[in-house]
Amino acid sequence: MGVFRDWQRRRVLKSARLDEALWSKVASTLAFLRGLTDEEKVRLRELVFLFLAEKEMHGASGLTLTDEVRLSIALQACLPILNLGLDVYNSWVGVIVYPGEFRVRKDEVDENGVVHAIDEGLAGEAWPGGPVILSWEDVGLAERGYNVVIHEFAHKIHMDGGGDPDFPAERPGMDPEKWRQTLEASYQRFCTEVDADRPTFIDPYAAEHPAEFFAVMSEAFFTESAVLARDWPDLYGQLALFYRQDPAGRG
Ligand SMILES: [Zn+2]
């Protein structure tokens, strides 16, 4: 796969044409892109071209998949892999976009073995080895600390990249103990703060499960990086090693 894919990617990049006006329009809505260096911007563009060429996006429930929708999702999905490369996303191809929250019905078994029929509206969902599902309305609600695209793609990076159901595996070169202990201790600290009703700039939803904590903290890492680095320095440091980026250090 390697050589053929490299050749294909070079071809895609050679023929890629960028709609500069659309890029500027979409990028202007994403404040966290502002601190990127020129070199990082070039690499992000290449990743976005390849993402759009290799992934299949589908509009559902009447959503028209415009170039703006496609570009906005691709841009946000590629920021976390800026220094990891598109191969992190190799094991799946689909992105399904609904106009708003989509309803999910499923059965869940609780710790007593009782099956509950769940019917809920979701802003996003990620399937192991399968598609990412997003609500376009919720993509548009992105603000500091909240970003459904980064959230769902953080789940993808976790579930397709090794590790266990709680947390992703560390990257080569990272200290596995430190990674694991920092995530576990941070999760415990967060749950204690939520239980004590202490105000937190992080969405309390992160207390639901360690995997949700990782996804929500990834949102904060990219979109509220200075606050995360100040209030959660150990966690920030580990996420910087994991994503191989230092967003708080950007001007
Ligand atoms: Zn989640």
Side-chain angles (χ1 to χ4, degrees):
M1 176 155 90
V3 175
F4 179 64
R5 176 156 269 171
D6 284 352
W7 174 80
Q8 262 187 328
R9 285 180 172 172
R10 275 198 303 276
R11 251 187 50 176
V12 167
L13 292 178
K14 238 176 138 178
S15 60
R17 293 286 169 270
L18 181 69
D19 180 339
E20 292 286 350
L22 185 63
W23 180 283
S24 302
K25 183 183 170 196
V26 171
S28 72
T29 64
L30 305 170
F32 48 87
L33 295 179
R34 269 174 219 146
L36 295 179
T37 65
D38 287 347
E39 186 268 335
E40 286 172 325
K41 281 183 198 153
V42 170
R43 253 178 326 113
L44 185 61
R45 279 182 189 214
E46 289 186 355
L47 280 171
V48 167
F49 283 139
L50 295 173
F51 184 95
L52 289 171
E54 293 180 15
K55 302 303 173 203
E56 290 172 12
M57 281 197 211
H58 303 277
S61 293
L63 179 102
T64 308
L65 211 53
T66 60
D67 285 348
E68 184 174 346
V69 172
R70 286 161 46 80
L71 182 58
S72 174
I73 291 171
L75 247 169
Q76 296 176 75
C78 287
L79 180 68
I81 56 161
L82 183 64
N83 293 329
L84 303 176
L86 194 58
D87 288 351
V88 170
Y89 292 157
N90 266 358
S91 61
W92 57 276
V93 289
V95 181
I96 299 164
V97 192
Y98 283 85
E101 282 198 344
F102 47 94
R103 300 218 70 80
V104 174
R105 292 179 191 85
K106 59 187 168 191
D107 289 338
E108 249 173 39
V109 185
D110 69 18
E111 60 253 39
N112 300 315
V114 180
V115 179
H116 300 270
I118 312 262
D119 182 342
E120 57 185 348
L122 293 183
E125 200 174 36
W127 289 79
V132 174
I133 309 168
L134 295 165
S135 147
W136 177 242
E137 189 187 352
D138 289 85
V139 173
L141 297 176
E143 56 176 311
R144 296 173 82 89
Y146 177 77
N147 186 297
V148 67
V149 182
I150 291 176
H151 182 100
E152 297 308 330
F153 282 86
H155 278 317
K156 291 300 283 179
I157 291 169
H158 173 191
M159 57 180 57
D160 297 337
D164 64 20
D166 283 355
F167 296 119
E170 76 287 350
R171 299 223 173 271
M174 289 175 69
D175 179 341
E177 298 264 292
K178 195 166 182 205
W179 167 243
R180 186 76 192 190
Q181 281 168 6
T182 304
L183 285 171
E184 280 173 356
S186 303
Y187 180 61
Q188 288 311 324
R189 177 188 143 191
F190 185 75
C191 291
T192 306
E193 289 183 5
V194 170
D195 285 345
D197 275 332
R198 250 172 259 153
T200 160
F201 78 99
I202 305 287
D203 187 347
Y205 176 69
E208 290 273 312
H209 188 277
E212 294 305 334
F213 180 74
F214 171 75
V216 171
M217 284 305 197
S218 295
E219 293 175 69
F221 178 74
F222 289 106
T223 68
E224 190 71 296
S225 50
V227 181
L228 190 72
R230 185 195 68 202
D231 292 357
W232 298 80
D234 295 343
L235 179 65
Y236 180 89
Q238 287 298 303
L239 289 174
L241 293 172
F242 182 82
Y243 285 109
R244 298 190 182 134
Q245 293 190 48
D246 178 19
R250 291 178 183 138

